[in-house]
Amino acid sequence: VVSGASAVRCVPRLIQELVEFKLPILTELTEGANRLISPYHLADMEEHTLVDSYFDPALLNGREPGLTVVAPATFNTLNKIAQGIGDTLAHSLVAEAIGAGWPVVVAPSMNPALANHPQVAQSLKNLLRWGVKVVEPHQEDDLLMMASTEEIKKVIRFALQAAKFDL
């Protein structure tokens, strides 16, 4: 799941790097992400399947158990996930994964004022309590940017091992 933070520019590389885990890669863009990165650009990448509807063939018969990654996770997406709100396909996919007990990794990216909002701390506590792995962002100018691809991969590796997925 890709939400609309400026770190969305890192998503094509992240998708390419996730291939090493030999898991199916389904990519869903939130409405905000669609404003920052072209779905057509991502659709040209062979390493994944871009989904945009509940009726997408990749989702029609239900998803196989697997990893769900939210990168970048905006203030809005982080808080919706932590409150169990599934009002879009992207948020529903994450809620489904949490409910099924599948590994979920979230990589937040937002400005410091939003990161300091009291709801963020509460949301992170909820996610961690539910077993969601959170990849700490790093400071870049006046933004808390999504962690590096390498850091995200480390957390994914840990989440998959904890869930006993074959690597």
Side-chain angles (χ1 to χ4, degrees), residues 1-2 11-12 15 18 24-30 37 39 42-43 45 47-53 56 58-59 69 71 89-90 93:
V1 172
V2 179
V11 168
I15 291 169
L18 292 179
I25 302 173
L26 305 178
T27 307
E28 166 61 14
L29 302 176
T30 66
I37 190 166
L42 293 178
M45 296 177 64
E47 297 88 0
H48 74 116
T49 301
L50 186 64
V51 296
D52 63 359
S53 161
D56 192 286
L59 300 176
V69 178
L89 175 58
L93 292 173

Side-chain angles (χ1 to χ4, degrees), residues 22-88:
K22 296 179 173 61
L23 294 169
I25 302 173
L26 305 178
T27 307
E28 166 61 14
L29 302 176
T30 66
E31 185 178 327
N34 269 305
R35 292 186 195 122
L36 297 173
I37 190 166
S38 169
Y40 299 107
H41 174 73
L42 293 178
D44 288 342
M45 296 177 64
E46 295 180 11
E47 297 88 0
H48 74 116
T49 301
L50 186 64
V51 296
D52 63 359
S53 161
Y54 290 101
F55 304 106
D56 192 286
L59 300 176
L60 267 181
N61 296 316
R63 291 190 297 161
E64 293 292 318
L67 170 71
T68 298
V69 178
V70 184
T74 61
F75 175 84
N76 186 55
T77 294
L78 177 80
N79 290 308
K80 281 187 175 186
I81 292 168
Q83 293 174 33
I85 298 171
D87 63 344
T88 66

